[in-house]
C-alpha cells in the first residue's frame, strides 16, 4: 500500500536524528564515571592517611616512655648542673675558711660577739639565657638559681658612747679588701633583744659568696 502525506510542509512532523541524544548520554555517562572514579580515589587516599595517622599514633605511644625518661634526665641534668655550679663557686676560689674566720674575728669591734657562722644556700631570681626546644632559639628568661651564702649571726652590746651600732661590723667587712673581694653583703636584719638579762641588739648578716675579683 502506498501512503501519501497530504499535509502541507509546515504541518508535517520533523524527524529528529537520535545522534545528539546518544552523544549527550555518552557525555553524561563519562561524567558520572569520572565523578565515581574521583570519589573512590579520594576515599582510598583518606583511608591511607588514616592508616598512616594510626601508625604514627602507635609509634608515638611506643616512644612515650623514652620521651618521659628523656624529660626526667633533662630535669636531673639541670639540678645536677645547679649543684655543680654551687660547688664550683665555693671551691673554685679556693676559699681558706680558717683565714676567713680569722678575718671575721679581726674585723669585729670589741662590743660584738658571734652566735653562729654557717655556710648555707639561698635562692635568687635572675635573668639567664634559656634554650627553647620548640622554637630552637635561646632567649633571656627569669629563672631561680641557688647560690651559696655565708650567714653570720651575733649580738652587739652598748659601746662606750652608749650606742649599739650593729652596722659597724658591716662597714668593716665591706671596707676590708680581702674579705669584700669574696663576700658581697646582702640586706641585713637587726632586732633589739636581751641576752642573759642584758639589753643587746641581735644581727644577721648574709654574704653572697662571689668569684674572686681579679685584675687591677
Amino acid at each position: 500500500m502506498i501512503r501519501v502525506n497530504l499535509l502541507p510542509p509546515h504541518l508535517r512532523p520533523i524527524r529528529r536524528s537520535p545522534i545528539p541524544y546518544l552523544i549527550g548520554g555518552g557525555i553524561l555517562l563519562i561524567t558520572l564515571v569520572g565523578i565515581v572514579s574521583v570519589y573512590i580515589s579520594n576515599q582510598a587516599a583518606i583511608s591511607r592517611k588514616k592508616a598512616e595517622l594510626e601508625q604514627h599514633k602507635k609509634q608515638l605511644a611506643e616512644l612515650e616512655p623514652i620521651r618521659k625518661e628523656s624529660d626526667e634526665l633533662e630535669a636531673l641534668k639541670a639540678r645536677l648542673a645547679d649543684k655543680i655550679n654551687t660547688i664550683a663557686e665555693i671551691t673554685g676560689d679556693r676559699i681558706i675558711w680558717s683565714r676567713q674566720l680569722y678575718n671575721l674575728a679581726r674585723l669585729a669591734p670589741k662590743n660584738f660577739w658571734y652566735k653562729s657562722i654557717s655556710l648555707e644556700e639561698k635562692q635568687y631570681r635572675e635573668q639567664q639565657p634559656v634554650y627553647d626546644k620548640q622554637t630552637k632559639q635561646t632567649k633571656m628568661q627569669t629563672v631561680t638559681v641557688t647560690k651559696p651564702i655565708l650567714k653570720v649571726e651575733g649580738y652587739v652590746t652598748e659601746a662606750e658612747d652608749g650606742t649599739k651600732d650593729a652596722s659597724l661590723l658591716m662597714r668593716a667587712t665591706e671596707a676590708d679588701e680581702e674579705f669584700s673581694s669574696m663576700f658581697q653583703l646582702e640586706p641585713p636584719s637587726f632586732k633589739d633583744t636581751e641576752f642573759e638579762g642584758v639589753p643587746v641588739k641581735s644581727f644577721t648578716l648574709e654574704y653572697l659568696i662571689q668569684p674572686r675579683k681579679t685584675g687591677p
Side-chain angles (χ1 to χ4, degrees):
M1 178 184 290
I2 299 173
R3 294 183 178 181
V4 178
N5 190 349
L6 299 177
L7 291 172
H10 66 279
L11 295 178
R12 294 177 185 177
I14 299 175
R15 293 184 179 181
R16 301 185 182 277
S17 173
I19 294 176
Y21 297 100
L22 293 176
I23 294 174
I27 294 174
L28 178 61
L29 180 61
I30 293 172
T31 303
L32 290 175
V33 170
I35 292 173
V36 172
S37 176
V38 171
Y39 174 79
I40 294 174
S41 177
N42 288 341
Q43 289 300 113
I46 292 172
S47 298
R48 288 195 301 272
K49 293 298 181 182
K50 285 183 177 179
E52 291 177 4
L53 178 61
E54 292 300 323
Q55 182 66 23
H56 291 160
K57 286 182 178 180
K58 183 179 179 181
Q59 292 176 352
L60 286 175
E62 293 174 350
L63 295 174
E64 182 64 16
I66 298 176
R67 185 193 66 80
K68 289 183 178 180
E69 183 179 358
S70 176
D71 290 344
E72 291 174 357
L73 289 174
E74 287 294 330
L76 177 60
K77 179 181 176 182
R79 292 196 297 270
L80 289 176
D82 192 34
K83 291 183 179 295
I84 290 172
N85 289 336
T86 299
I87 295 173
E89 288 180 2
I90 296 174
T91 61
D93 295 322
R94 299 178 183 176
I95 296 176
I96 302 175
W97 288 104
S98 59
R99 174 67 182 176
Q100 302 313 318
L101 293 176
Y102 164 75
N103 284 334
L104 286 173
R106 173 176 61 85
L107 296 171
K110 293 181 179 180
N111 60 327
F112 277 73
W113 78 92
Y114 298 117
K115 181 178 70 173
S116 67
I117 300 175
S118 59
L119 183 64
E120 300 184 6
E121 290 184 344
K122 187 176 180 180
Q123 291 186 335
Y124 293 83
R125 301 282 290 174
E126 61 181 35
Q127 291 282 325
Q128 287 190 358
V130 176
Y131 179 73
D132 192 329
K133 293 186 291 184
Q134 294 183 345
T135 62
K136 296 182 179 180
Q137 293 181 349
T138 300
K139 59 182 180 180
M140 298 301 295
Q141 184 175 334
T142 302
V143 297
T144 301
V145 296
T146 302
K147 295 185 178 183
I149 63 169
L150 178 66
K151 187 174 182 179
V152 179
E153 295 179 293
Y155 303 99
V156 55
T157 59
E158 286 186 0
E160 294 180 356
D161 59 0
T163 61
K164 295 192 291 289
D165 190 355
S167 64
L168 292 176
L169 179 60
M170 294 168 46
R171 291 197 293 268
T173 56
E174 288 184 304
D176 188 77
E177 183 176 352
E178 179 183 350
F179 190 85
S180 62
S181 67
M182 288 178 286
F183 302 98
Q184 177 182 334
L185 181 63
E186 298 282 281
S189 63
F190 307 105
K191 184 175 66 174
D192 289 320
T193 183
E194 289 188 357
F195 183 80
E196 297 182 355
V198 178
V200 296
K201 178 170 288 186
S202 67
F203 61 86
T204 299
L205 305 180
E206 293 180 344
Y207 294 89
L208 175 63
I209 301 175
Q210 58 186 351
R212 188 188 301 272
K213 296 178 181 177
T214 58

